[in-house]
Amino acid sequence: MGLGRRGARGPGRLITQPPPPQRRGRGGGPAVDNKATKRAADRPAHGGSMSTADRSHAAGAAPDSDPGRMAVASTYQRFEPRAYLRNNYAPPRGDLSNPDGVGPWKLRCLAQTFATGEVSGRTLIDIGSGPTIYQLLSACAHFEDITMTDFLEANRQELGLWLREEPGAFDWSVYSQHVCLIEGKGESWQEKERQLRARVKRVLPIDVHQSQPLGAGSLAPLPADALVSAFCLEAVSPDLVSFQRALDHITTLLRPGGHLLLIGALEESWYLAGEARLAVVPVCEEEVREALEHSGYEVRDLRTYTMPARLQTGVDDVKGIFFTWAQKKVGV
């Protein structure tokens, strides 16, 4: 999702950092309600984590006067995490039995990139996690300290349900099983999920439209060795200028030589999440490449997927998906 999150580390614990009271960050919803956040933070984190959703979020930013970004933030207040999950991660799009489906394609891109061994280190930040965890299933074997982030408290709470293994959490086991199958290491899906829960140390607010996306005094260790971001920047940016600026902002969180794995929508202008109809800035493959190069990356890999007619279900107008592996140049 388009705005962000993070927390403090400790084995088997996840700390959620609420944004300051009565403040609003760009791209999706009001500041987190402090009482609700405190209730979530007071719950013990099971196995190592606490909360977040698929388009990014705010970390104590000053009120944003940009009308386009304010409109995005206002619309995201109606974002419904469970509706978004049903639309995109339950069948038909969540059917992983067809190797030509969008789910298997995304999981393959991630697994193959991490299998190179080049994208590894101690710390990883997931930018705008939304209510999803699939994007980290292959990553968790390569990083011991993972931060998840999102602008929306509702997404962070949804993440917390899964991280703490609470009743009613979204069931990601089909995705975990598929990742274990394509990685071919003989690992059980239960062990895969245990490892991910243990390595997510915090879930934090984020606002990719602020120069300090995680806010001042972030609890996340910076700079990170790698970033992952799925369906965030284009989903919370009113135009290409904002998209580029958001990419510049998250790049400040990454060390020189570090890696960015970016997944996003191609030529999409809207999507649904319950009652919310959310605008997306349409981007093409070449615009994604140019934005990465402008932000100081070397593009290592860029792949695209065309959404088949059978998966065009009326919940968006997406034409395809891009996956890119980019490396931040030294000196940037």
Side-chain angles (χ1 to χ4, degrees):
M1 299 225 32
L3 308 175
R5 52 186 162 187
R6 202 169 249 117
R9 146 180 199 162
R13 300 282 300 181
L14 171 76
I15 298 176
T16 301
Q17 178 189 24
Q22 304 303 320
R23 297 174 72 111
R24 183 180 298 247
R26 136 92 176 84
V32 175
D33 175 87
N34 287 331
K35 293 180 181 177
T37 303
K38 184 178 187 301
R39 288 195 297 271
D42 286 344
R43 299 189 199 106
H46 182 94
S49 354
M50 275 201 100
S51 26
T52 256
D54 232 4
R55 320 244 167 191
S56 298
H57 322 300
D64 198 328
S65 59
D66 181 280
R69 298 209 299 259
M70 289 177 68
V72 173
S74 176
T75 304
Y76 266 97
Q77 295 181 52
R78 299 191 297 275
F79 182 93
E80 297 177 29
R82 283 304 173 101
Y84 175 79
L85 291 170
R86 285 194 302 271
N87 291 348
N88 295 283
Y89 300 99
R93 290 185 177 180
D95 179 6
L96 304 185
S97 62
N98 186 335
D100 296 327
V102 63
W105 184 83
K106 290 185 293 184
L107 295 176
R108 264 196 317 274
C109 289
L110 290 162
Q112 290 169 358
T113 303
F114 283 109
T116 66
E118 293 190 59
V119 185
S120 62
R122 192 180 76 84
T123 59
L124 178 145
I125 300 173
D126 182 23
I127 303 292
S129 309
T132 69
I133 60 91
Y134 73 92
Q135 66 274 17
L136 297 173
L137 288 167
S138 287
C140 65
H142 302 272
F143 296 88
E144 63 186 63
D145 184 310
I146 295 175
T147 297
M148 299 186 77
T149 68
D150 204 86
F151 182 75
L152 294 175
E153 180 187 13
N155 282 336
R156 299 194 299 269
Q157 290 178 342
E158 184 68 40
L159 290 178
L161 294 178
W162 186 86
L163 290 167
R164 296 187 301 268
E165 299 184 83
E166 292 192 6
F170 189 79
D171 183 4
W172 290 101
S173 62
V174 173
Y175 283 78
S176 304
Q177 291 170 44
H178 193 82
V179 170
C180 290
L181 178 66
I182 60 179
E183 289 181 345
K185 299 176 182 177
E187 182 182 20
S188 72
W189 68 267
Q190 294 94 337
E191 177 54 34
K192 171 69 75 176
E193 292 193 350
R194 277 195 294 271
Q195 183 178 54
L196 178 54
R197 287 185 173 102
R199 294 196 168 183
V200 174
K201 305 301 182 183
R202 60 198 69 82
V203 175
L204 301 180
I206 191 171
D207 184 345
V208 299
H209 296 292
Q210 301 298 325
S211 59
Q212 293 181 297
L214 295 171
S218 167
L219 295 173
L222 295 174
D225 295 314
L227 305 178
V228 169
S229 186
F231 303 103
C232 171
L233 302 185
E234 73 281 4
V236 297
S237 299
D239 49 45
L240 275 173
V241 172
S242 293
F243 176 87
Q244 180 71 70
R245 190 177 296 122
L247 180 60
D248 291 344
H249 290 162
I250 68 169
T251 299
T252 65
L253 306 176
L254 182 64
R255 68 168 175 81
H259 299 268
L260 166 66
L261 303 186
L262 189 66
I263 300 174
L266 290 171
E267 300 296 347
E268 181 181 43
S269 66
W270 61 271
Y271 76 99
L272 301 177
E275 295 183 0
R277 181 184 172 100
L278 300 128
V280 181
V281 57
V283 296
C284 66
E285 178 182 354
E286 191 53 38
E287 286 167 333
V288 172
R289 184 184 296 275
E290 289 175 358
L292 287 164
E293 292 174 348
H294 184 273
S295 290
Y297 290 94
E298 174 192 355
V299 177
R300 301 284 301 275
D301 188 14
L302 179 54
R303 313 180 197 181
T304 61
Y305 173 90
T306 300
M307 189 69 74
R310 63 185 173 83
L311 297 181
Q312 294 174 4
T313 58
V315 299
D316 54 41
D317 65 348
V318 65
K319 304 301 187 296
I321 308 295
F322 69 83
F323 169 84
T324 185
W325 167 18
Q327 187 169 17
K328 184 176 178 179
K329 296 176 181 177
V330 176
V332 173

